[in-house]
Amino acid sequence: MTTLSILYDRLRWEEKELSEKATELGVTVKVIDAKALKLDSHADTGLQQTFGDIALQRCISYFRGLHLSAYLESAGQRIVNSYKTAHICGNKVLTTLALRRAGVPTPRTMISFTAEAALESAEALGYPVVLKPVVGSWGRMVVPLRNRETAAGMVEMREQMNGLMSQIYYVQEMVDKPDRDIRGIVVGDQVVSVNYRYAPPGEWRTNVARGGRSEPCSLNKELEEVLLKAARAVDGGILGVDCMESKDGYVVHEVNNTVEFRGAASVSRNDIAKAMIQYVLEQAKR
Ligand SMILES: Nc1ncnc2c1ncn2[C@@H]1O[C@H](COP(=O)(O)OP(=O)(O)O)[C@@H](O)[C@H]1O
Ligand SMILES: [Mg+2]
């Protein structure tokens, strides 16, 4: 019998769902709070006792999950997703570069390191543009810059912030798209669900965490190929691929490493959590 650990820092609906599905599939589940772990560099053998045959990393905190993955992977513990995938997906600069390198259509983005260069990047792209934190989620601090005054003000505010990455500027062309975007959930080499996300009233971002509404969407060949290619570009695993419908076709703007899927599950015909657990079990056998 396989033993699976689910590593979390806050138990959401998703972790409970995954844990229930795994139990249903006859797996022994250990739900482990990453906040209580004390990882010893010199006691990194026999970890299977604690973490089971395979670990599913589901921390909300990118940096917490990343360091935990690094430790476990380096100790030879099987873990989903890989450290590499977590590393790329948690950082929008690295994601953009990986997508671009793999030939996945993605919005044009300028990366710069000072307020002055950031403002020049916005001008070079042409307003409106979108300024995003390099590390972040739930649409937090993702801001549309519609003119020079606002751009200069936002960049000035970022200059005053103390975050480790506050002065790495990620400025992206604003994609001309309908009031929705598309969330695909990729598990291994399969798209297990795809749905539209509509922004709530008075909001331009579609994040479910901001009140975005999930609606069914049907999968076509082109969309499937883009979603799978994006997942491969970040080294694969269990992923939430976000894309937009631009005038020139689909463009992928983000790949999520510890994907939330409550919204997707509410409109999907497939059992998303079950597909995820089955994938993890396959990985445990490899
Ligand atoms: N380049 C863009 N053009 C138009 N809308 C965008 C663009 N980038 C992001 N958005 C909107 O903002 C939301 C949040 O941006 P995203 O890059 O996914 O950041 P987060 O990681 O915080 O979810 C997206 O779901 C989308 O609705
Ligand atoms: Mg997003």
Side-chain angles (χ1 to χ4, degrees):
M1 201 209 282
T2 312
T3 307
L4 158 73
S5 59
I6 297 179
L7 314 177
Y8 75 96
D9 50 14
R10 198 172 83 213
L11 277 180
R12 293 167 287 188
W13 176 87
E14 282 81 0
E15 285 69 44
K16 290 176 197 149
E17 180 75 4
L18 286 163
S19 169
E20 273 171 31
K21 275 302 152 190
T23 308
E24 267 172 48
L25 289 167
V27 175
T28 304
V29 185
K30 296 164 151 230
V31 182
I32 298 175
D33 183 355
K35 301 192 299 299
L37 291 172
K38 294 165 284 288
L39 305 171
D40 185 343
S41 64
H42 285 49
D44 54 356
T45 53
L47 291 177
Q48 204 179 341
Q49 190 80 2
T50 309
F51 295 99
D53 301 304
I54 191 157
L56 179 57
Q57 197 282 104
R58 292 281 318 172
C59 289
I60 294 177
S61 158
Y62 164 58
F63 287 113
R64 183 180 282 140
L66 188 67
H67 290 87
L68 176 51
S69 298
Y71 177 87
L72 292 179
E73 210 169 277
S74 116
Q77 170 73 37
R78 285 200 170 94
I79 181 160
V80 173
N81 287 329
S82 69
Y83 170 79
K84 185 175 175 189
T85 299
H87 181 55
I88 299 172
C89 293
N91 179 310
K92 287 193 169 60
V93 172
L94 301 184
T95 304
T96 293
L97 300 180
L99 292 173
R100 176 74 186 154
R101 225 166 23 244
V104 179
T106 190
R108 184 174 165 211
T109 305
M110 296 193 61
I111 300 136
S112 52
F113 311 108
T114 62
E116 197 181 9
L119 208 50
E120 281 168 17
S121 297
E123 304 272 317
L125 286 171
Y127 298 108
V129 294
V130 184
L131 173 68
K132 304 185 189 184
V134 172
V135 174
S137 55
W138 299 330
R140 223 171 7 206
M141 288 192 282
V142 172
V143 258
L145 306 178
R146 301 193 189 277
N147 56 46
R148 193 186 161 84
E149 287 78 22
T150 324
M154 281 311 306
V155 166
E156 196 178 307
M157 281 166 75
R158 281 276 291 265
E159 280 294 288
Q160 298 303 318
M161 289 169 63
N162 293 324
L164 278 178
M165 301 238 198
S166 298
Q167 283 84 43
I168 312 287
Y169 292 95
Y170 179 101
V171 181
Q172 189 165 73
E173 66 170 311
M174 184 175 281
V175 175
D176 185 9
K177 62 171 190 80
D179 62 342
R180 65 183 189 198
D181 40 48
I182 295 173
R183 158 61 59 85
I185 296 182
V186 177
V187 175
D189 54 14
Q190 253 191 305
V191 176
V192 298
S193 103
V194 60
N195 64 273
Y196 291 119
R197 291 186 315 180
Y198 286 83
E203 174 61 70
W204 70 289
R205 294 161 293 186
T206 61
N207 300 70
V208 172
R210 313 214 84 84
R213 194 176 83 246
S214 302
E215 294 280 346
C217 166
S218 56
L219 188 61
N220 60 61
K221 202 76 212 147
E222 186 195 348
L223 179 57
E224 183 178 28
E225 270 167 26
V226 168
L227 296 174
L228 292 177
K229 204 168 167 184
R232 277 196 298 272
V234 299
D235 212 34
I238 295 176
L239 297 160
V241 183
D242 287 352
C243 70
M244 302 187 264
E245 301 152 283
S246 82
K247 300 262 179 297
D248 305 316
Y250 299 111
V251 288
V252 176
H253 62 283
E254 192 189 25
V255 185
N256 296 276
N257 179 48
T258 50
V259 59
E260 293 182 342
F261 54 92
R262 195 174 189 170
S266 70
V267 293
S268 172
R269 268 181 280 121
N270 290 340
D271 190 332
I272 300 172
K274 188 173 175 187
M276 290 178 176
I277 296 296
Q278 283 169 334
Y279 171 79
V280 175
L281 297 181
E282 274 164 37
Q283 297 304 304
K285 285 195 217 111
R286 286 179 46 181

